[in-house]
Amino acid sequence: MGNGMSKGEKGVSSSSSETGFQDYMTDILNKGTLAIMLSIGHRTRLFDIISSLNNPSTSKEISLKAKLNERYVREWLGAMVVSRVIEYDSAHKTYWLEKEKMDFLTRASSSYNFAASMQWIPILAQVEDDIINCFQKGGGVHYDSFKRFHEVMAEESAQTVVAGLFDFILPLVPGLEENLMRGISVLDIGCGSGHAINTMAARFPRSKFVGYDISEEAINKARSDGQQLNNKNVSFNVNDVSNPQVMKTNFDLVVAFDAIHDQRDPANVLKNIARIINPDEGIFLMQDILGSSFLEKNINHPLGPFLYAMSCMHCMSVSLAQNGTGLGAMWGKEKATEMLKDAGFANVEVKTLAHDFQNYYYVAKIT
Ligand SMILES: C[S@@+](CC[C@H](N)C(=O)[O-])C[C@H]1O[C@@H](n2cnc3c(N)ncnc32)[C@H](O)[C@@H]1O
């Protein structure tokens, strides 16, 4: 496949900044493909299997334990070794995963499983043709075109929202946990597969929880997980939250985890939320992407390229596919605050969590 990228090969002398850029591009080519290999390692459970083996193992031992084809496993291991993810003993042809790396690559991870997040890259890649068509003709790519979206979103949500819910996110609102213990009504807007709300329902049996999502697939999963948890205080409905007709009941707490910026009509959704929130004590807790509305302020964002790409190929596009506003994931704090105020929230606080550089937490009240 040789792409002839070695330096100076074309006999053109390059300045040091050109060389730097060439190295940068080479690095991206390597890492872009590596991201897909990491995703494969997650989906085939190879990282989990290699960790469980505990000892340096041959490709045959690994593939037997994983019930996978040895030839494919060996080539994947090659990619992992040259990228310094997996260790290799050439004398014994054995492979192993160092303990400190297991924590970032396995399902048993107590920190953040990056291999799970790498699944976003192939999810985006599958709609590349459709997105190019949108570049040429406008429009967008519908949610249904993103195969495995809800499954991967649920995994992501488990390790971001759910993992931090009780220790970090709910404590952002003083007194909220006590109120949930006592018994209040809660609505989750764009609840997806319902991980967050099912977890809260199990923890706070005196409160009543409702989840709305436009996706039937996501709501079915949320319902079956709720039944498995034997949650009696939660219900899920396939609903379009931009429709004022379905946003009628009042709630003490409305939450939206990563579910506002990709709406068809986010301004209307925020207005619907403001209308159904208990006007005295009600809280709207909105988790959304950490960023500025001004591109120049996002240049050093640690996840800037990933977030703009996700926005272009998914968040903005799913909104445009419904003739929506195409706000995009990088709508930013300034725009979000302004839209919350326009919707009727007079009191908006923007909070961050020390360990979470991807999200803002907006605590909004009517008065
Ligand atoms: C990025 S996902 C977040 C899902 C979930 N909150 C989580 O954290 O896993 C956004 C969700 O909003 C839902 N959604 C988009 N537009 C909607 C609408 N108009 N009404 C209800 N749900 C909507 C999508 O189906 C999707 O599940």
Side-chain angles (χ1 to χ4, degrees):
M1 210 185 63
N3 54 18
M5 290 198 13
S6 57
K7 280 177 236 160
E9 198 178 64
K10 292 178 190 154
V12 179
S13 63
S14 46
S15 72
S16 61
S17 74
E18 277 170 345
T19 306
F21 190 66
Q22 210 172 21
D23 288 347
Y24 178 48
M25 288 292 119
T26 307
D27 194 37
I28 290 174
L29 187 59
N30 278 324
K31 288 180 178 157
T33 42
L34 181 59
I36 301 185
M37 286 278 119
L38 290 164
S39 168
I40 291 173
H42 177 71
R43 292 184 66 188
T44 54
R45 297 187 174 259
L46 273 163
F47 289 121
D48 300 322
I49 302 277
I50 294 169
S51 302
S52 74
L53 282 166
N54 262 329
N55 284 311
S57 309
T58 62
S59 59
K60 196 168 172 194
E61 288 164 339
I62 294 168
S63 55
L64 269 175
K65 178 95 195 225
K67 298 192 176 71
L68 294 168
N69 180 287
E70 189 275 337
R71 182 67 195 97
Y72 275 89
V73 169
R74 188 160 25 104
E75 208 69 355
W76 177 85
L77 284 164
M80 290 300 117
V81 170
V82 296
S83 52
R84 297 174 183 81
V85 172
I86 281 179
E87 310 306 310
Y88 179 55
D89 174 353
S90 58
H92 299 94
K93 297 210 179 323
T94 54
Y95 306 82
W96 69 98
L97 188 57
E98 285 177 338
K99 282 231 166 350
E100 59 270 30
K101 292 181 183 168
M102 287 178 192
D103 221 22
F104 296 103
L105 295 168
T106 60
R107 285 173 174 79
S109 159
S110 59
S111 58
Y112 189 87
N113 180 359
F114 280 91
S117 299
M118 298 298 163
Q119 295 176 99
W120 290 121
I121 314 302
I123 283 186
L124 294 186
Q126 64 179 327
V127 298
E128 187 194 17
D129 288 352
D130 301 330
I131 290 288
I132 287 172
N133 192 43
C134 296
F135 271 79
Q136 290 159 345
K137 298 186 182 140
V141 180
H142 200 270
Y143 261 113
D144 296 345
S145 304
F146 295 84
K147 288 191 212 97
R148 300 188 64 245
F149 173 83
H150 290 293
E151 183 189 334
V152 174
M153 191 66 228
E155 271 190 83
E156 189 76 50
S157 166
Q159 59 174 350
T160 51
V161 180
V162 179
L165 203 52
F166 303 124
D167 290 339
F168 303 105
I169 300 174
L170 297 180
L172 287 172
V173 185
L176 181 56
E177 282 198 81
E178 289 78 359
N179 288 339
L180 285 161
M181 290 284 192
R182 219 172 292 129
I184 56 171
S185 55
V186 184
L187 171 67
D188 187 348
I189 292 284
C191 64
S193 309
H195 245 28
I197 200 157
N198 268 323
T199 308
M200 284 195 275
R203 173 89 156 218
F204 304 112
R206 290 198 181 135
S207 285
K208 278 202 167 17
F209 296 84
V210 178
Y212 290 163
D213 200 285
I214 205 164
S215 157
E216 202 168 335
E217 177 197 339
I219 289 293
N220 285 342
K221 174 83 172 100
R223 278 191 189 128
S224 78
D225 284 3
Q227 278 159 7
Q228 266 183 12
L229 286 166
N230 209 17
N231 281 339
K232 304 276 185 247
N233 54 340
V234 66
S235 64
F236 293 98
N237 294 301
V238 177
N239 269 337
D240 176 350
V241 295
S242 65
N243 179 356
Q245 297 308 314
V246 301
M247 298 283 282
K248 279 183 168 165
T249 319
N250 271 48
F251 287 90
D252 301 310
L253 172 68
V254 177
V255 294
F257 297 113
D258 195 19
I260 298 298
H261 64 257
D262 55 3
Q263 289 291 324
R264 178 178 61 80
D265 185 356
N268 229 359
V269 171
L270 293 176
K271 279 186 191 138
N272 284 344
I273 296 170
R275 219 189 41 253
I276 60 166
I277 269 198
N278 170 349
D280 307 319
E281 309 266 305
I283 303 275
F284 175 39
L285 175 60
M286 175 176 92
Q287 177 219 48
D288 217 291
I289 300 298
L290 187 151
S292 168
S293 309
F294 302 99
L295 174 58
E296 60 276 20
K297 293 191 182 168
N298 292 327
I299 287 171
N300 293 321
H301 194 306
L303 273 176
F306 172 74
L307 293 171
Y308 274 103
M310 275 298 283
S311 181
C312 179
M313 295 185 75
H314 178 268
C315 313
M316 177 190 80
S317 189
V318 293
S319 172
L320 293 174
Q322 307 166 71
N323 292 321
T325 52
L327 190 59
M330 298 308 280
W331 60 324
K333 179 166 80 169
E334 300 84 350
K335 179 88 181 156
T337 309
E338 181 193 312
M339 286 179 69
L340 283 164
K341 296 220 158 150
D342 287 351
F345 292 99
N347 184 340
V348 179
E349 282 181 86
V350 189
K351 306 197 177 194
T352 51
L353 292 172
H355 68 279
D356 183 351
F357 55 85
Q358 189 173 326
N359 294 296
Y360 279 129
Y361 294 84
Y362 299 82
V363 179
K365 298 180 197 164
I366 300 295
T367 50

